[in-house]
């Protein structure tokens, strides 16, 4: 199957500190990758690099999502769900969705199904400041459903969500994968079913000049992570 994403020798430094180096991996259509690593190992930084929000200090990232062999500069084929949710305190849930629909060039018809899917349609008139942390997370998830982007980059997608909310995230991810989408998620704790796990090692733990990423999926077969 075709690779949607090819990452080669990506490295990042912050100040004088090497966060990670020589990170290389591919993601094929329908694959789920879980980024793991200690606090501060660089999971969020790597996701932000993959989202095009910050530049790597080394290496290259290529998306092959439009069938042409490379992504055009006008179309970055990702959805990014970060720690900062970009939710406006004064605006209602529905108005914020209208903004995103317009931003993505979609009609308003996508809003109700997306809000129903995440359980917020009945709270569509509530302003952002009236949402709990979990409801804010659900609103961020609704944004993913407004328009199709082949690659979802999710930073701790279970954060603030109750058990039902976590099940919802798993279902959304499974549906996205059924459509051939790729999901790359930074995770602590609970795992996403059928995910391939990549661990970002601290450069101290990576032996000698080895890359600071390790595919740990094969180590987990039969384990109950
Ligand atoms: N803009 C920045 N300027 C300086 N240092 C930064 C910046 N962004 C991140 N860092 C540092 O880079 C390191 C990696 O941060 P990052 O948020 O990527 O880690 P993480 O693996 O996602 O951590 P966590 O598991 O705690 O969420 C941290 O030590 C952080 O302090």
């Amino acid at each position: 199957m075709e690779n949607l994403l090819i990452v080669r020798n990506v490295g990042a430094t912050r100040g004088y500190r090497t966060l990670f180096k020589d990170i290389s991996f591919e993601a094929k259509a329908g694959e789920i990758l879980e980024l793991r690593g200690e606090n501060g190992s660089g999971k969020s930084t790597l996701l932000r690099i993959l989202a095009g929000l910050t530049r790597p200090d080394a290496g290259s990232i290529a998306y092959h999502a439009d069938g042409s062999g490379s992504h055009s500069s006008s179309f970055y084929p990702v959805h990014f769900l970060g720690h900062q949710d970009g939710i406006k305190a004064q605006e209602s849930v529905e108005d914020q969705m209208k903004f995103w629909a317009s931003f993505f060039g979609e009609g308003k018809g996508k809003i109700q199904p997306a809000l129903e899917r995440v359980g917020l349609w009945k709270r569509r008139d509530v302003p952002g400041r009236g949402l709990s942390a979990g409801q804010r997370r659900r609103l961020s998830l609704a944004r993913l459903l407004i328009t199709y982007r082949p690659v979802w980059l999710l930073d701790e997608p279970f954060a603030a969500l109750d058990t039902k909310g976590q099940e919802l995230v798993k279902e959304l991810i499974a549906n996205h994968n059924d459509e051939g989408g790729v999901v790359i998620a930074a995770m602590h704790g609970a795992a996403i079913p059928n995910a391939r796990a990549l661990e970002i090692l601290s450069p101290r733990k990576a032996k000698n000049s080895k890359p600071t990423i390790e595919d740990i999926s094969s180590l987990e077969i039969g384990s109950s992570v």
Side-chain angles (χ1 to χ4, degrees):
M1 200 174 283
E2 195 193 351
N3 286 319
L4 281 191
L5 168 65
I6 300 176
V7 176
R8 286 286 172 266
N9 304 109
V10 164
T13 54
R14 289 288 177 266
Y16 294 109
R17 190 175 150 225
T18 300
L19 282 186
F20 48 76
K21 63 179 182 182
D22 284 329
I23 285 189
S24 298
F25 63 88
E26 300 87 34
K28 292 187 184 348
E31 260 200 305
I32 306 170
L33 302 185
E34 259 184 26
L35 295 179
R36 300 198 197 159
E38 296 170 357
N39 288 136
S41 58
K43 300 178 296 299
S44 300
T45 303
L46 180 57
L47 284 181
R48 290 178 60 80
I49 288 172
L50 297 176
L53 297 172
T54 184
R55 285 180 189 279
D57 293 291
S60 65
I61 290 142
Y63 286 100
H64 298 260
D66 57 4
S68 69
S70 65
H71 75 85
S72 72
S73 57
S74 61
F75 175 63
Y76 217 68
V78 307
H79 272 311
F80 174 66
L81 182 83
H83 289 302
Q84 290 174 341
D85 51 34
I87 291 171
K88 298 185 187 77
Q90 310 295 336
E91 275 184 27
S92 74
V93 164
E94 190 172 11
D95 282 348
Q96 304 199 41
M97 289 292 280
K98 282 180 186 163
F99 167 82
W100 285 105
S102 160
F103 182 81
F104 290 135
E106 294 283 353
K108 291 177 190 163
K110 296 284 182 79
I111 293 172
Q112 182 171 350
L115 287 177
E116 281 176 346
R117 188 76 180 87
V118 302
L120 283 181
W121 179 242
K122 287 184 180 159
R123 300 185 68 84
R124 61 188 176 279
D125 296 327
V126 175
R129 64 172 180 277
L131 298 175
S132 70
Q135 288 165 340
R136 293 173 74 92
R137 200 66 175 169
R138 284 167 182 264
L139 180 52
S140 299
L141 289 165
R143 217 149 58 196
L144 307 180
L145 306 178
I146 292 179
T147 199
Y148 183 78
R149 290 281 188 272
V151 180
W152 286 5
L153 304 170
L154 311 178
D155 205 346
E156 297 183 37
F158 293 164
L161 291 173
D162 58 18
T163 312
K164 273 189 185 169
Q166 295 188 14
E167 287 306 314
L168 170 69
V169 172
K170 288 180 191 171
E171 284 171 23
L172 296 179
I173 288 174
N175 291 347
H176 185 59
N177 283 117
D178 286 346
E179 293 176 1
V182 162
V183 175
I184 304 177
M187 298 292 294
H188 284 295
I192 300 171
N194 305 316
R196 189 173 121 212
L198 299 176
E199 177 153 14
I200 300 182
L201 306 169
S202 82
R204 278 180 288 109
K205 284 191 186 165
K207 287 183 188 124
N208 303 322
S209 57
K210 293 267 176 63
T212 54
I213 197 161
E214 187 172 65
D215 190 332
I216 57 172
S217 310
S218 57
L219 308 177
E220 293 182 344
I221 293 171
S223 73
S224 57
V225 177

mmCIF file of all heavy atoms in Angstrom, residues 12-20 45 57:
data_model
loop_
_atom_site.group_PDB
_atom_site.id
_atom_site.type_symbol
_atom_site.label_atom_id
_atom_site.label_comp_id
_atom_site.label_asym_id
_atom_site.label_seq_id
_atom_site.Cartn_x
_atom_site.Cartn_y
_atom_site.Cartn_z
ATOM 1 N N ALA A 12 15.315 17.609 16.067
ATOM 2 C CA ALA A 12 14.912 18.892 16.648
ATOM 3 C C ALA A 12 15.774 19.191 17.856
ATOM 4 O O ALA A 12 16.081 18.297 18.660
ATOM 5 C CB ALA A 12 13.442 18.850 17.060
ATOM 6 N N THR A 13 16.186 20.436 17.960
ATOM 7 C CA THR A 13 16.898 20.900 19.154
ATOM 8 C C THR A 13 16.103 22.051 19.756
ATOM 9 O O THR A 13 15.408 22.781 19.050
ATOM 10 C CB THR A 13 18.316 21.402 18.821
ATOM 11 O OG1 THR A 13 18.194 22.395 17.798
ATOM 12 C CG2 THR A 13 19.210 20.303 18.336
ATOM 13 N N ARG A 14 16.180 22.168 21.048
ATOM 14 C CA ARG A 14 15.586 23.309 21.745
ATOM 15 C C ARG A 14 16.676 23.891 22.626
ATOM 16 O O ARG A 14 17.159 23.202 23.521
ATOM 17 C CB ARG A 14 14.387 22.873 22.605
ATOM 18 C CG ARG A 14 13.175 22.477 21.785
ATOM 19 C CD ARG A 14 12.523 23.701 21.154
ATOM 20 N NE ARG A 14 11.390 23.371 20.302
ATOM 21 C CZ ARG A 14 11.442 23.192 18.990
ATOM 22 N NH1 ARG A 14 12.595 23.287 18.359
ATOM 23 N NH2 ARG A 14 10.356 22.940 18.297
ATOM 24 N N GLY A 15 17.087 25.124 22.343
ATOM 25 C CA GLY A 15 18.247 25.672 23.023
ATOM 26 C C GLY A 15 19.459 24.851 22.623
ATOM 27 O O GLY A 15 19.691 24.601 21.434
ATOM 28 N N TYR A 16 20.218 24.373 23.633
ATOM 29 C CA TYR A 16 21.389 23.540 23.337
ATOM 30 C C TYR A 16 21.058 22.056 23.417
ATOM 31 O O TYR A 16 21.922 21.209 23.302
ATOM 32 C CB TYR A 16 22.527 23.852 24.322
ATOM 33 C CG TYR A 16 23.066 25.256 24.151
ATOM 34 C CD1 TYR A 16 22.824 26.231 25.114
ATOM 35 C CD2 TYR A 16 23.795 25.607 23.020
ATOM 36 C CE1 TYR A 16 23.299 27.518 24.954
ATOM 37 C CE2 TYR A 16 24.273 26.890 22.848
ATOM 38 C CZ TYR A 16 24.027 27.841 23.818
ATOM 39 O OH TYR A 16 24.490 29.112 23.656
ATOM 40 N N ARG A 17 19.796 21.745 23.624
ATOM 41 C CA ARG A 17 19.425 20.359 23.890
ATOM 42 C C ARG A 17 18.880 19.675 22.639
ATOM 43 O O ARG A 17 17.978 20.191 21.981
ATOM 44 C CB ARG A 17 18.346 20.366 24.981
ATOM 45 C CG ARG A 17 18.052 19.022 25.518
ATOM 46 C CD ARG A 17 17.071 19.111 26.686
ATOM 47 N NE ARG A 17 16.294 17.900 26.697
ATOM 48 C CZ ARG A 17 14.996 17.828 26.847
ATOM 49 N NH1 ARG A 17 14.294 18.904 27.042
ATOM 50 N NH2 ARG A 17 14.389 16.676 26.826
ATOM 51 N N THR A 18 19.460 18.513 22.316
ATOM 52 C CA THR A 18 18.899 17.706 21.224
ATOM 53 C C THR A 18 17.703 16.955 21.775
ATOM 54 O O THR A 18 17.842 16.143 22.692
ATOM 55 C CB THR A 18 19.947 16.686 20.719
ATOM 56 O OG1 THR A 18 21.077 17.400 20.243
ATOM 57 C CG2 THR A 18 19.370 15.829 19.607
ATOM 58 N N LEU A 19 16.525 17.245 21.232
ATOM 59 C CA LEU A 19 15.332 16.512 21.698
ATOM 60 C C LEU A 19 15.311 15.125 21.084
ATOM 61 O O LEU A 19 15.103 14.124 21.752
ATOM 62 C CB LEU A 19 14.058 17.241 21.262
ATOM 63 C CG LEU A 19 13.617 18.460 22.022
ATOM 64 C CD1 LEU A 19 12.268 18.927 21.506
ATOM 65 C CD2 LEU A 19 13.536 18.151 23.500
ATOM 66 N N PHE A 20 15.485 15.086 19.761
ATOM 67 C CA PHE A 20 15.549 13.810 19.055
ATOM 68 C C PHE A 20 16.307 14.029 17.759
ATOM 69 O O PHE A 20 16.497 15.174 17.315
ATOM 70 C CB PHE A 20 14.159 13.221 18.786
ATOM 71 C CG PHE A 20 13.167 14.187 18.199
ATOM 72 C CD1 PHE A 20 13.222 14.569 16.864
ATOM 73 C CD2 PHE A 20 12.147 14.717 18.981
ATOM 74 C CE1 PHE A 20 12.300 15.452 16.316
ATOM 75 C CE2 PHE A 20 11.213 15.611 18.449
ATOM 76 C CZ PHE A 20 11.298 15.973 17.114
ATOM 77 N N THR A 45 6.419 18.209 20.004
ATOM 78 C CA THR A 45 7.275 18.908 19.040
ATOM 79 C C THR A 45 7.255 18.183 17.700
ATOM 80 O O THR A 45 7.113 18.820 16.644
ATOM 81 C CB THR A 45 8.721 18.991 19.584
ATOM 82 O OG1 THR A 45 8.684 19.644 20.852
ATOM 83 C CG2 THR A 45 9.632 19.739 18.629
ATOM 84 N N ASP A 57 14.944 20.882 12.646
ATOM 85 C CA ASP A 57 16.319 21.373 12.484
ATOM 86 C C ASP A 57 17.074 20.527 11.475
ATOM 87 O O ASP A 57 18.136 20.935 10.998
ATOM 88 C CB ASP A 57 17.033 21.362 13.839
ATOM 89 C CG ASP A 57 16.403 22.383 14.774
ATOM 90 O OD1 ASP A 57 16.554 23.579 14.518
ATOM 91 O OD2 ASP A 57 15.698 21.974 15.718
#
